[in-house]
Amino acid sequence: MKNSKTFLFIITLFFVYTSCKKNERVIYLNQLKNKISIMKETPVKPLNKEQIGNTYLINNLHDKYLIINDTECTDNGLLIYDINNFKKLGATGKKGEGPGEISYYYKVIPYKHGFIMQDHSKNIVYYYDVVKAIKNQNYLPLELLHQKDIKDYPYFYRMLSDSLYVGVQARIGSSSNFEVNINKGNLYTGTYKKMISLPNEIDNNKLQCYFASYKNRIIITYFNYNLVSIYDIKGNLIKHIQGEVKLKKNKHKRYYGRPIGINNKLFIPSFYGDGYMKNSRGIIEEVGFNQLLCLDMNGNYIKTLKTSSNFYNAIPLPDKKRILLYRRKNDIAFTTIHL
């Protein structure tokens, strides 16, 4: 009898140990003691007067420029600002279907002395030299690559060299369905290696993910999946961070946005609350984010930075001491927070 009790005790210990090992790379925010800091914010006045349409993406380019995609612009919709004093320097990205023109503004990928932008409708990769674009308002980009009959293309990625990239890549399969993964590949040859498989819900447009690569880390956040995943640059999982979910009348939830990295820390835009509201025209829209989740490079929780009002994008500034928060989509406004 005594031996049987000892055996059961050992089996129980083994089960607990293996369960812990299985989940040791998953942390749950609701099991942590949140350290919430209210951030001091400073308005950025020079951009408040700009008449900009629907701003899709805002980018820090080489710690020198701020590139703003004005998707409603009918001419040059890539606006260039000095990221240190927010002075407007020029605009580029002539919209259209002609040579050197782009039909739809997409992600700005830092590259050499400027940036890459892909026109997926033409299957062309353009390279913009920022200095030349500032000097010449009629500047047309260099056609870096023409991807004919392409079925696999990266659309959010980081260039590791002149040709190698790592990022989110979509593959058009049968019945025009998309298979979306994190791949490492060569932009010129079209060859790639799958690193990380993403959930099937992304293929069916039920799930939106954001990708970022900072130093030797890959960070993936899932907009409505309450999950942050951190990998090393080879695609090995470091940690999943599962956000707490507290539903109240099916409205209150947590979701995450596009990550950024500063001073060996990861900052994840986060929102908790009623995720939607009606605008002045009565249309329901997303309200943005109201927190920045701060983690170390291994995904360990440090603290939560709470902002005074909601924002859409967070952009690291060159001094590595401040983050620029983009506030409103149509009447554009920025503030900075000090870390």
Side-chain angles (χ1 to χ4, degrees), residues 11 13 27 32 58 74 78 105 111 155 163 197 211 244 283:
I11 291 296
L13 283 179
I27 62 172
L32 299 173
I58 298 168
T74 57
L78 300 174
Y105 302 125
Y111 185 71
Y155 56 97
S163 57
S197 296
F211 162 88
E244 71 273 26
I283 300 173

Side-chain angles (χ1 to χ4, degrees), residues 15-189:
F15 175 76
V16 171
Y17 172 77
T18 53
S19 297
C20 291
K21 290 294 287 182
K22 183 179 180 181
N23 295 304
E24 65 182 358
R25 290 184 295 181
V26 180
I27 62 172
Y28 297 87
L29 287 182
N30 56 346
Q31 296 175 358
L32 299 173
K33 184 177 180 181
N34 283 346
K35 303 173 184 177
I36 298 179
S37 301
I38 307 297
M39 301 309 298
K40 180 181 178 181
E41 303 179 21
T42 306
V44 178
K45 294 181 180 179
L47 292 181
N48 289 350
K49 297 178 181 179
E50 288 292 334
Q51 296 299 315
I52 300 176
N54 184 23
T55 306
Y56 175 55
L57 283 173
I58 298 168
N59 307 268
N60 174 342
L61 185 66
H62 307 309
D63 279 345
K64 292 182 178 181
Y65 308 104
L66 194 68
I67 309 294
I68 300 177
N69 301 25
D70 183 359
T71 59
E72 292 183 359
C73 180
T74 57
D75 191 16
N76 290 333
L78 300 174
L79 312 182
I80 307 170
Y81 291 82
D82 186 315
I83 199 169
N84 293 291
N85 58 24
F86 307 111
K87 179 182 177 181
K88 188 174 181 180
L89 302 175
T92 189
K94 186 172 179 60
K95 202 167 186 179
E97 299 293 336
E101 298 177 346
I102 194 160
S103 58
Y104 185 79
Y105 302 125
Y106 211 58
K107 175 70 173 174
V108 168
I109 309 294
Y111 185 71
K112 294 186 177 181
H113 303 295
F115 62 89
I116 287 173
M117 179 166 286
Q118 290 182 243
D119 190 329
H120 293 309
S121 66
K122 296 181 180 179
N123 288 334
I124 295 177
V125 179
Y126 289 116
Y127 168 67
Y128 292 82
D129 185 306
V130 176
V131 174
K132 291 181 179 179
I134 292 172
K135 291 180 179 179
N136 180 8
Q137 64 178 1
N138 296 317
Y139 168 80
L140 292 178
L142 173 68
E143 187 177 303
L144 192 67
L145 185 64
H146 199 144
Q147 301 165 310
K148 294 181 180 179
D149 302 322
I150 192 165
K151 289 188 176 181
D152 307 77
Y153 57 85
Y155 56 97
F156 283 111
Y157 55 99
R158 166 191 170 189
M159 296 301 296
L160 302 175
S161 68
D162 285 355
S163 57
L164 298 179
Y165 66 87
V166 60
V168 180
Q169 187 160 341
R171 183 178 188 277
I172 304 176
S174 60
S175 303
S176 298
N177 291 327
F178 281 83
E179 176 188 338
V180 185
N181 299 299
I182 304 296
N183 296 334
K184 188 174 183 179
N186 188 305
L187 194 65
Y188 291 94
T189 64

